[in-house]
Amino acid sequence: MEATGAEVLVAALRTHGVDTVFGIPGTHNLAVYEELARGGVSCVTPRHEQGAGYAADGYARVTGRPGVALTTTGPGVVNAAAALAQAYSDSTPVLLLSPGVPSDHPRLGRGYLHESKDQSGALDALCAWSHRVTSIREIPAAVGRAFASFAEGRPRPVHVEVPADLLERRGSADLAGPYRLMPRVPDPAALDRAARLLRGARRPAIVLGGGAQRPGDDEPVTGRLAMRLAERTGARVVTTVNGKGSVPESHHLCLGATLRLPGVRRWLASCDVVLAVGTELGPADLWEDRFALPGTLIRVDVDPAQMYGDHVADVPVLADAALALEGLAGRVPETGTRPRRTTGWSASATPSCARWPGGGPRSSPRCARRCRPTR
């Protein structure tokens, strides 16, 4: 297509299904905003670019679709940096678009409006990657790369910078089709080994993190599969804060988002097999640096680096969470299984206490008086 850089950029966004953009118009991005209006893309304008970044992050978390933010150059980009850093920490797919200084701008600067030393490099330190295009022809490829990175592996924010002069210059570009999502399929041998461990476990546990969430789904498929596996193995299920909502906390096997509690971590340390799905088991989840996990650890994650984190996986399952849980549940028989009896504290009066496994926390002195040891 023969068009301006702004037209190509908006057409590339529409190709990937973008219908909403969060941001603030500024001197250098006005050409893009004109094309967004003509292209039928809704623009949500907050009071500050940081709000645009957080709104794009929230949009991605709720809908399951990548959030897109559009700022102007220099200070506008930096204002959105805090939101991108949070999106990186929480693995949220956010695309930040911004103009940049013109293509022929000298590196030493010349007083150009909102000029910065290296805004793409600054964002690269906070995002999965940041890229400054050098031609109109490169714009669709950069946008396509962003959506490909969201679809494959661990989604994290990215930044695409288009020099301001390219937005109004005309040129030719070929639009690439939308990236087809191809979930990472688990290795059957890894699933077989993990299923054998879960079937033979005496005290199994399941930990669900943010990677077990499926935003935008009417039915929490991953959580449903996790609970099916829990019911077949008798495993208790605990979630991180980011994993909250993936499973119903009213279920008798669910301990809720309580991984931060010392008593829950002591219980995990007593489990012989722990299945961790989509979680770093990191300090942000634990409220401490790390904790003992002497049992056999099965880790399910799309990020291979997580298999070698603070808690090295004994059985790594590199796969989409839903596909891995479906494969594990299919390898555990539905009949002949029942929840295993756990020793420790049990409740005689309060239903909430009955959910805590052996060695679990006592929420208050009153709760402790109502509980009795079963050992």
Side-chain angles (χ1 to χ4, degrees):
M1 63 180 292
E2 180 78 20
T4 66
E7 291 172 338
V8 172
L9 178 60
V10 173
L13 293 175
R14 293 296 292 153
T15 297
H16 293 279
V18 176
D19 57 15
T20 304
V21 168
F22 304 88
I24 297 178
T27 302
H28 296 144
N29 64 15
L30 294 180
V32 182
Y33 274 96
E34 291 175 356
E35 291 307 319
L36 289 173
R38 283 194 280 265
V41 179
S42 298
C43 302
V44 180
T45 307
R47 295 188 177 185
H48 193 276
E49 287 89 353
Q50 187 178 100
Y54 282 123
D57 179 289
Y59 176 91
R61 294 174 192 247
V62 172
T63 66
R65 301 165 58 190
V68 180
L70 174 61
T71 71
T72 191
T73 44
V77 175
V78 176
N79 282 343
L84 293 187
Q86 186 63 53
Y88 184 89
S89 176
D90 288 348
S91 303
T92 308
V94 174
L95 169 60
L96 174 62
L97 299 170
S98 76
V101 293
S103 304
D104 60 352
H105 184 270
R107 298 291 291 180
L108 295 179
R110 61 182 183 86
Y112 188 78
L113 179 64
H114 292 170
E115 83 177 4
S116 56
K117 182 178 178 182
D118 183 5
Q119 74 176 28
S120 184
L123 270 293
D124 190 59
L126 300 175
C127 300
W129 52 265
S130 176
H131 179 69
R132 175 179 163 92
V133 304
T134 58
S135 67
I136 293 176
R137 183 179 59 185
E138 191 181 353
I139 294 174
V143 174
R145 178 190 172 198
F147 281 86
S149 70
F150 297 149
E152 289 287 345
R154 187 175 186 177
R156 274 176 158 165
V158 299
H159 170 236
V160 173
E161 175 184 322
V162 182
D165 59 312
L166 295 185
L167 292 175
E168 298 186 6
R169 186 187 303 173
R170 297 189 69 83
S172 60
D174 297 324
L175 293 179
Y179 190 83
R180 184 168 63 92
L181 179 61
M182 299 177 66
R184 193 182 292 270
V185 179
D187 178 11
L191 291 180
D192 290 342
R193 184 182 175 194
R196 282 197 301 270
L197 289 167
L198 288 168
R199 288 196 303 265
R202 298 186 67 249
R203 284 175 76 93
I206 298 176
V207 181
L208 302 178
Q213 294 276 28
R214 283 290 184 90
D217 285 353
D218 293 332
E219 183 183 7
V221 177
T222 307
R224 176 170 51 81
L225 292 169
M227 294 313 301
R228 180 188 302 173
L229 182 62
E231 290 168 351
R232 294 182 180 185
T233 60
R236 301 294 180 102
V237 180
V238 63
T239 75
T240 66
V241 172
N242 281 337
K244 184 178 178 65
S246 56
V247 291
E249 296 188 2
S250 58
H251 196 285
H252 69 281
L253 291 176
C254 184
L255 306 182
T258 56
L259 186 61
R260 70 191 186 283
L261 299 180
V264 172
R265 295 199 296 274
R266 287 195 297 270
W267 158 68
L268 277 174
S270 73
C271 293
D272 54 349
V273 177
V274 176
L275 170 64
V277 181
T279 174
E280 294 173 308
L281 294 174
D285 297 320
L286 308 173
W287 290 14
E288 67 178 18
D289 187 35
R290 58 180 300 171
F291 69 107
L293 203 59
T296 301
L297 177 61
I298 305 167
R299 298 196 75 157
V300 174
D301 211 292
V302 293
D303 184 0
Q306 293 308 310
M307 305 304 176
Y308 306 97
D310 284 347
H311 299 280
V312 178
D314 296 300
V315 182
V317 182
L318 190 64
D320 175 81
L323 294 180
L325 289 170
E326 183 179 28
L328 289 173
R331 286 166 168 78
V332 175
E334 185 171 2
T335 58
T337 61
R338 60 183 179 181
R340 294 161 174 80
R341 178 180 179 272
T342 59
T343 59
W345 291 90
S346 67
S348 59
T350 52
S352 60
C353 295
R355 302 189 323 185
W356 299 116
R362 291 167 287 173
S363 59
S364 67
R366 180 184 178 189
C367 176
R369 289 195 298 270
R370 288 183 173 183
C371 295
R372 64 180 186 277
T374 60
R375 287 188 180 90

